[in-house]
Amino acid sequence: MAEDEPDVLSVPDLQRFCEFLYARTGMQFNETKRYYIDRRVAERMAANDAASFAAYFQQLRADAVEAEQLINSFTVNETYFYREDYQFRCLSRSILPEIVQSRAPGDKIRIWSVPCSTGEEAYSIAIWLLENWRLVDVYNIEIVGSDIDTRALGDAVAGYFGERALSRLPAELRDAYFEAEQKGQRRLVGDLRESVSFTSVNLVDPASTIVHGNFDVIFCRNALIYFDDDSRRTAVHNLYAQLNPGGFVCLGHSESMSRITDLFQMRRFEDAIVYQRPKRA
């Protein structure tokens, strides 16, 4: 949109739309993001041949598919392989060795990457464990990647990645786990694509999180910064409910669980600070 073009949404419409988006996702937008909002709403209106925002908003509230497409357009999918890899070192050197103290060989260990965006973080966990945890084949490790953005999930399942996404991976790992493709992309090998499952989730909706069952480790990095205080508390309580007692949560480097809730115990390991659901007494 050009700067001299009229706003797509009036002030009351903008407020209604932000309330709708907040109720559906927990993400908070307001007048300070007007240009961002107007541009994306205009794109969705054009895709649906909507003559006015009022007509589009009526469709949006009635059409779950369009609501999904709209939400997809508002999510941020900035990620790459081995992002904040100090937490992966903590996973293999400290967290998993503590978890398996109460497990027998062959037992299941569940790890959740949420939000997983286009799959880089969930697949990074799989690659890291294959390369760095000597007990990786002793236990039944299940990795699940989840996101509210269904378009990003489709890209994750397809497993194609450009050079920017792969830039932090050592060359030997790119060659070992990715097949050469055209147009500057490489595809993750089939065995690894099949080792991670991808699902849709809304972190502020307990009905959406509970269906995923319980996990031993949750990576929830750089998601809570997009929520307000109420949504953060809701999301964190939902994560707590999906953790096994004694399970761990890894947040982004700028996020702190202690500012949100006292449900978790902070654990200082050699490589990272993480948060643990207390074990049963």
Side-chain angles (χ1 to χ4, degrees):
M1 293 174 57
E3 291 186 3
D4 57 350
E5 289 184 5
D7 294 333
V8 175
L9 284 70
S10 67
V11 173
D13 286 342
L14 179 69
Q15 182 176 352
R16 284 200 300 158
F17 177 78
C18 290
E19 289 172 353
F20 170 86
L21 194 61
Y22 177 80
R24 291 295 185 98
T25 69
M27 294 186 294
Q28 190 172 46
F29 290 87
N30 53 39
E31 181 70 37
T32 63
K33 297 284 188 179
R34 169 174 281 282
Y35 178 77
Y36 183 89
I37 296 167
D38 273 354
R39 185 173 59 180
R40 280 154 181 77
V41 170
E43 290 170 353
R44 294 311 308 163
M45 287 174 59
N48 287 274
D49 295 323
S52 67
F53 173 74
Y56 175 68
F57 194 59
Q58 183 177 2
Q59 175 188 353
L60 191 61
R61 289 181 296 178
D63 185 345
V65 174
E66 177 53 29
E68 178 181 292
Q69 294 300 314
L70 184 281
I71 290 169
N72 287 352
S73 71
F74 274 82
T75 56
V76 178
N77 295 309
E78 177 66 23
T79 187
Y80 47 85
F81 281 87
Y82 275 23
R83 185 180 190 180
E84 299 180 16
D85 58 0
Y86 63 90
Q87 291 186 339
F88 299 146
R89 285 195 297 275
C90 186
L91 177 68
S92 58
R93 289 169 36 157
S94 301
I95 294 175
L96 289 177
E98 182 168 318
I99 288 172
V100 299
Q101 288 177 6
S102 59
R103 305 291 172 88
D107 282 354
K108 181 175 288 188
I109 297 172
R110 302 191 75 218
I111 302 174
W112 198 13
S113 173
V114 54
C116 69
S117 184
T118 45
E120 287 91 334
E121 297 203 18
Y123 288 134
S124 289
I125 295 168
I127 294 173
W128 182 273
L129 294 182
L130 286 170
E131 293 292 318
N132 296 284
W133 195 40
R134 62 182 181 83
L135 299 180
V136 66
D137 293 323
V138 175
Y139 297 92
N140 178 12
I141 300 172
E142 179 182 354
I143 301 173
V144 180
S146 302
D147 204 284
I148 197 171
D149 187 337
T150 55
R151 180 178 52 194
L153 291 173
D155 290 341
V157 172
Y160 291 95
F161 300 98
E163 286 304 312
R164 188 178 185 283
L166 300 171
S167 61
R168 290 286 304 275
L169 277 180
E172 61 269 20
L173 297 187
R174 293 198 299 269
D175 292 339
Y177 294 108
F178 294 83
E179 303 165 341
E181 296 286 340
Q182 296 180 349
K183 300 180 180 179
Q185 288 194 319
R186 304 183 73 171
R187 193 178 197 192
L188 192 70
V189 295
D191 286 348
L192 258 183
R193 295 199 310 274
E194 294 171 3
S195 73
V196 178
S197 58
F198 291 97
T199 65
S200 176
V201 74
N202 183 344
L203 279 177
V204 298
D205 178 6
S208 177
T209 57
I210 196 170
V211 297
H212 289 82
N214 280 27
F215 293 86
D216 299 294
V217 185
I218 298 176
F219 284 83
C220 182
R221 309 193 295 183
N222 305 309
L224 302 179
I225 56 176
Y226 297 102
F227 295 162
D228 68 355
D229 290 343
D230 288 341
S231 293
R232 286 191 193 100
R233 281 191 290 270
T234 298
V236 163
H237 280 238
N238 290 339
L239 293 178
Y240 180 89
Q242 300 318 125
L243 266 183
N244 288 321
F248 296 87
V249 173
C250 298
L251 299 181
H253 70 276
S254 64
E255 298 169 314
S256 172
M257 193 71 79
S258 60
R259 300 172 189 165
I260 305 170
T261 181
D262 59 1
L263 284 173
F264 294 85
Q265 297 174 343
M266 186 172 69
R267 297 288 305 276
R268 294 180 181 271
F269 289 114
E270 179 181 354
D271 298 293
I273 294 174
V274 301
Y275 301 91
Q276 185 177 29
R277 174 172 173 164
K279 300 176 182 179
R280 291 189 180 97

